[in-house]
Amino acid sequence: MQPDAPILIFDSGVGGLTVLAALREILPDAPVIFAADQAGLPYGTKSEAEIAARVAGLLGRMSERYRPRLVCIACNTASTIALGMVRDVLEIPIVGTVPAIKPAAALTRTGTIGLLGTEATIRQAYVDKLEAEFAHGKRLIRQAAPGLVTAAEAKLRGEPVDPDEIAKAVAGLREQQGRAEIDTVVLACTHFPLLHTELSQALGPDVALIDGSRGIARRIASLCEGQEFQADSGGLAVTTGPLENFATLGAVLESHGLTRAERF
Ligand code: DGL
């Protein structure tokens, strides 16, 4: 393994930064490439076939160009649809991001768990499987919240978060909950932890918010155990969209150690 081989973190947009932030906490020196498929954003409103083809194609080409030691699909939508396919195609470790239903089921006291994700994520058989395996005997209430993806992207660009989008997502959960109240909410989209403060305020102090970023970072670290890291001149941020898209995100990218940018 080349010590400068990067860890490639891939998402449709800025959501992948939540995974990168958790990774930086435990592997601060690892060379990283953060890739955002901004030309394909949002994934959540696309079909399964479109997402699978797009993600597998892009990750294949990115792996050829950047020769990563590991790829992390830091996107629940892409992972729940295309993880198996990408693993079949690439011969390096692929870490996916799937809804943190298991820790949520361990934490809930009321037995009612909310799950906020994209439209595409909440309808996946992968989520049915996680529910059957880990939340048996509990209630999992799924709510699509596409507006939160837009709100998170806006927030990182320094724009105000639309309070209506937060209210809509929370109301969607509450309307379905019935008598046993939701006390735990799974943030099943990597964009949503960027709105932790806003969601937590709207849901109230008795509701715990769970996301998988720390667990994913630990998984990446364990797969890289024993490997050498040669810190490079700074992490690289890659976008499939126009490079100007990164201009408004400059300070945010830099705060994640991403000091170079290029278009893919
Ligand atoms: N960040 C992505 C996820 O975790 C999806 C956002 C989108 O492109 O719709 O699901």
Side-chain angles (χ1 to χ4, degrees):
M1 176 65 59
Q2 296 288 342
D4 60 350
I7 293 170
L8 177 68
I9 298 191
F10 175 88
D11 183 32
S12 55
V14 295
L17 293 175
T18 59
V19 174
L20 175 55
L23 184 66
R24 288 283 192 212
E25 278 177 25
I26 50 176
L27 290 182
D29 295 327
V32 162
I33 294 181
F34 169 69
D37 181 15
Q38 292 181 313
L41 178 82
Y43 281 179
T45 50
K46 293 185 166 53
S47 71
E48 280 72 1
E50 207 178 337
I51 294 165
R54 192 168 179 98
V55 171
L58 272 173
L59 286 177
R61 289 192 289 121
M62 285 181 177
S63 295
E64 269 170 28
R65 184 179 301 181
Y66 300 117
R67 302 273 165 209
R69 68 181 73 207
L70 176 150
V71 168
C72 171
I73 306 180
C75 173
N76 289 255
T77 313
S79 299
T80 54
I81 292 170
L83 188 55
M85 194 176 183
V86 174
R87 281 190 173 139
D88 286 346
V89 179
L90 298 181
E91 281 165 0
I92 49 173
I94 313 291
V95 176
T97 309
V98 298
I101 292 172
K102 187 179 176 184
L107 193 70
T108 180
R109 296 270 169 270
T110 61
T112 306
I113 303 163
L115 184 144
L116 292 172
T118 65
E119 282 152 289
T121 296
I122 67 163
R123 65 173 182 254
Q124 293 313 308
Y126 204 119
V127 180
D128 301 343
K129 204 179 76 180
L130 291 174
E131 179 179 359
E133 197 172 340
F134 300 117
H136 186 70
K138 320 254 191 259
R139 228 183 126 212
L140 184 73
I141 296 173
R142 306 181 195 189
Q143 176 65 36
L148 296 186
V149 175
T150 318
E153 291 278 336
K155 183 175 179 181
L156 285 210
R157 284 196 305 268
E159 294 162 17
V161 170
D162 181 353
D164 287 351
E165 294 301 346
I166 306 289
K168 219 193 295 174
V170 170
L173 285 175
R174 296 274 187 229
E175 276 158 22
Q176 298 179 69
Q177 80 181 359
R179 283 189 25 204
E181 289 191 7
I182 293 170
D183 65 351
T184 310
V185 172
V186 180
L187 302 181
C189 170
T190 51
H191 278 72
F192 298 173
L194 298 168
L195 301 168
H196 194 285
T197 309
E198 293 81 355
L199 286 166
S200 185
Q201 258 164 21
L203 285 158
D206 298 333
V207 178
L209 302 183
I210 309 275
D211 73 82
S213 55
R214 287 213 160 81
I216 296 152
R218 282 195 299 272
R219 178 76 188 133
I220 295 173
S222 89
L223 288 168
C224 293
E225 215 171 299
Q227 297 179 4
E228 275 181 56
F229 295 121
Q230 179 188 307
D232 52 20
S233 48
L236 175 67
V238 168
T239 178
T240 57
L243 205 48
E244 302 85 73
N245 285 359
F246 274 167
T248 43
L249 287 172
V252 171
L253 296 176
E254 247 171 67
S255 72
H256 288 79
L258 303 166
T259 52
R260 297 172 297 138
E262 69 180 38
R263 185 168 187 177
F264 184 80

